[in-house]
Amino acid sequence: MKISLIAAVAQNGTIGRNDANGKPDLPWHLPDDFKFFKDTTSGHPIIMGRKSMDALGKPLPRRTNIVITRNLDFQMPGATIVHTLEEALTEARQVEKDELFIIGGAEIYALALPVANTLYLTEIHKAYEGDAHFPAFDKTEWREVSRRRHEADDRHEAAFDFVEYHRIQH
């Protein structure tokens, strides 16, 4: 099974920030990145941390939503709740044999990066303030297989590239 991480990452590694109420949020508005995320993950299991689920507010449609949390009492109707990455991967494999997606946040990306074999990164060509960052990774262990440029325009405040990386097998 393909274990894929999907994230939008600013030039300085930022993937999110807390809003004025302390709720996780994205510091940018890039509608075509939202569309890419939806099109890429629809029909597949998605694994996220509790804070990411809090930011979404509810499970995403047309996907099996799996939430990793340390909180044994956490509940979210429409989502499968687990307490470790291993449990999440097991749940996802029961639903899908092809590909699953890790969708955040920072701690979950860091846990899953060592077992991932695909990265779908929206590389944003602008730095943003934030308190959540994508984990550093050794690009010599990954091969870029595609890159599509998207210029800034009246709907997108920054230019970005959709980039797909595959782990190089040793």
Side-chain angles (χ1 to χ4, degrees):
M1 170 179 277
K2 195 154 93 167
I3 299 173
S4 301
L5 274 59
I6 187 166
V9 184
Q11 254 175 357
N12 58 343
T14 296
I15 59 170
R17 68 173 176 213
N18 288 327
D19 68 13
N21 299 318
K23 182 179 174 187
D25 195 14
L26 295 175
W28 49 74
H29 180 70
L30 303 171
D32 287 352
D33 177 56
F34 283 121
K35 182 179 182 332
F36 175 78
F37 175 87
K38 180 181 177 183
D39 292 347
T40 305
T41 63
S42 284
H44 299 282
I46 55 174
I47 296 172
M48 71 197 89
R50 187 217 18 102
K51 291 177 191 172
S52 294
M53 177 52 80
D54 287 348
L56 293 173
K58 64 182 194 278
L60 294 177
R62 294 180 300 284
R63 288 157 268 215
T64 299
N65 290 248
I66 302 168
V67 180
I68 303 171
T69 179
R70 291 182 200 94
N71 180 346
L72 300 178
D73 298 323
F74 181 78
Q75 296 180 19
M76 173 62 66
T80 300
I81 310 304
V82 298
H83 306 291
T84 67
L85 176 62
E86 293 72 25
E87 286 179 78
L89 295 173
T90 298
E91 289 290 334
R93 287 182 179 115
Q94 291 176 13
V95 175
E96 167 95 25
K97 300 297 181 220
D98 183 34
E99 185 172 22
L100 65 87
F101 289 89
I102 309 293
I103 68 165
E107 189 175 337
I108 303 303
Y109 286 135
L111 284 172
L113 186 60
V115 298
N117 40 37
T118 305
L119 304 176
Y120 295 95
L121 299 182
T122 300
E123 296 180 351
I124 303 168
H125 301 287
K126 183 176 177 181
Y128 286 87
E129 291 288 321
D131 43 32
H133 296 86
F134 195 78
F137 64 98
D138 183 350
K139 285 201 175 181
T140 66
E141 295 177 6
W142 298 85
R143 178 175 48 90
E144 182 178 313
V145 296
S146 70
R147 178 177 293 267
R148 287 183 299 140
R149 177 89 173 163
H150 191 298
E151 296 298 335
D153 58 28
D154 58 335
R155 293 175 52 236
H156 301 85
E157 63 192 63
F160 55 91
D161 295 338
F162 294 118
V163 187
E164 183 176 342
Y165 295 95
H166 291 178
R167 186 180 296 276
I168 298 169
Q169 302 301 322
H170 297 293

